[in-house]
Amino acid sequence: MARVAVVTGGTRGIGEAISKALKAAGYKVAANYGGNDAAAQKFKAATGMAVYKWDVSAYDSCAAGLKQVEADLGPVEVLVNNAGITRDTMFHRMTPEQWGAVINTNLNSLFNMCRPVIEGMRSRKFGRIINISSINGQKGQIGQANYSAAKAGELGFTKALAQESAKSGITVNAVCPGYIATEMVKAVPQDVLEKSILPHIPLGRLGEPEEIARCVVFLASDDSGFITGATLTANGGQYLI
């Protein structure tokens, strides 16, 4: 029987590529989204995948959404925490709202999504949790104190939960993308891209969403069963650890 995979932020950008790749690999995919109804319906029409709208920053919303997914598709065995937002500004101008929005959506969402499914994974002795962090959670970034803090927090969460869950057959890993050719990055002016971003990437190009998706498919598979608590960097050599 096909395993059920939930992808947060799964109808656009990197999340869309992850959802499509998991479906191609044989999973039953539930793609979560937060607010863009038009994009979600377009994704659903194009892929035939189930879409579910809920706010990952709210625990009760996540619990209800995951309960509906399990009623529709079956127990969640693979969880990809991909949803994230930015509210970039220099720290001395950052508001409490800008800080809180990013921490709640990018970091607190990991608790909100993992907590409702972890007991089921433990009882079934199987689970795959993959957290999409960022190169800027590893190295920091000017104007992203909130985002970098959240993404670094994801890595600590990944390592701790991996150790707790290993004996229950659950692996927990993170992927740290670098600059990926999503709508957000493509919106950067071409001169900025060529002068300030690409020169710092040894491979000399942006990554593709599908390249991140292939990392996730591997970490979700049985082939990755001896890998847990790991951080897989996919950044073209821009930052090495």
Side-chain angles (χ1 to χ4, degrees):
M1 181 178 291
R3 288 174 175 154
V4 175
V6 173
V7 182
T8 67
T11 64
R12 299 171 61 198
I14 291 173
E16 177 182 4
I18 292 170
S19 295
K20 289 179 177 178
L22 286 170
K23 181 183 179 184
Y27 295 85
K28 289 193 290 185
V29 179
N32 154 267
Y33 72 103
N36 194 325
D37 294 314
Q41 291 307 312
K42 181 179 179 181
F43 169 88
K44 181 179 179 180
T47 66
M49 278 184 259
V51 298
Y52 295 84
K53 183 178 182 179
W54 71 76
D55 179 5
V56 296
S57 72
Y59 179 81
D60 289 345
S61 180
C62 292
L66 288 164
K67 184 176 180 180
Q68 187 61 56
V69 169
E70 294 201 327
D72 294 345
L73 303 179
V76 174
E77 295 177 285
V78 176
L79 172 60
V80 183
N81 290 305
N82 167 75
I85 62 171
T86 57
R87 297 290 186 269
D88 295 352
T89 189
M90 298 297 282
F91 185 73
H92 64 276
R93 291 195 291 266
M94 187 173 290
T95 66
E97 290 75 20
Q98 289 170 322
W99 175 269
V102 171
I103 296 298
N104 286 335
T105 298
N106 296 13
L107 180 57
N108 291 345
S109 61
L110 270 63
F111 176 88
N112 298 340
M113 290 296 299
C114 291
R115 186 62 184 85
V117 301
I118 195 73
E119 291 184 52
M121 289 180 175
R122 287 171 62 87
S123 67
R124 293 186 298 272
K125 299 296 183 183
F126 180 86
R128 294 284 188 268
I129 297 172
I130 301 122
N131 300 317
I132 308 302
S133 180
S134 168
I135 184 175
N136 292 340
Q138 296 173 301
K139 71 176 186 62
Q141 179 60 37
I142 293 171
Q144 287 196 327
N146 48 5
Y147 185 83
S148 295
K151 291 299 181 179
E154 288 189 28
L155 300 181
F157 175 90
T158 296
K159 293 173 184 178
L161 189 59
Q163 292 178 69
E164 288 188 19
S165 304
K167 290 184 178 180
S168 297
I170 303 165
T171 65
V172 188
N173 293 290
V175 179
C176 282
Y179 282 88
I180 306 300
T182 59
E183 289 180 20
M184 181 175 67
V185 174
K186 288 179 180 178
V188 174
Q190 190 65 27
D191 62 323
V192 174
L193 192 67
E194 293 178 356
K195 293 177 182 178
S196 301
I197 295 177
L198 293 179
H200 297 288
I201 304 174
L203 285 181
R205 65 173 178 87
L206 300 175
E208 295 296 331
E210 291 75 17
E211 292 178 300
I212 305 305
R214 287 193 285 273
C215 296
V216 172
V217 171
F218 169 67
L219 291 174
S221 72
D222 289 343
D223 290 339
S224 69
F226 198 58
I227 300 173
T228 194
T231 300
L232 178 55
T233 61
N235 60 35
Q238 184 177 359
Y239 184 74
L240 306 176
I241 58 171

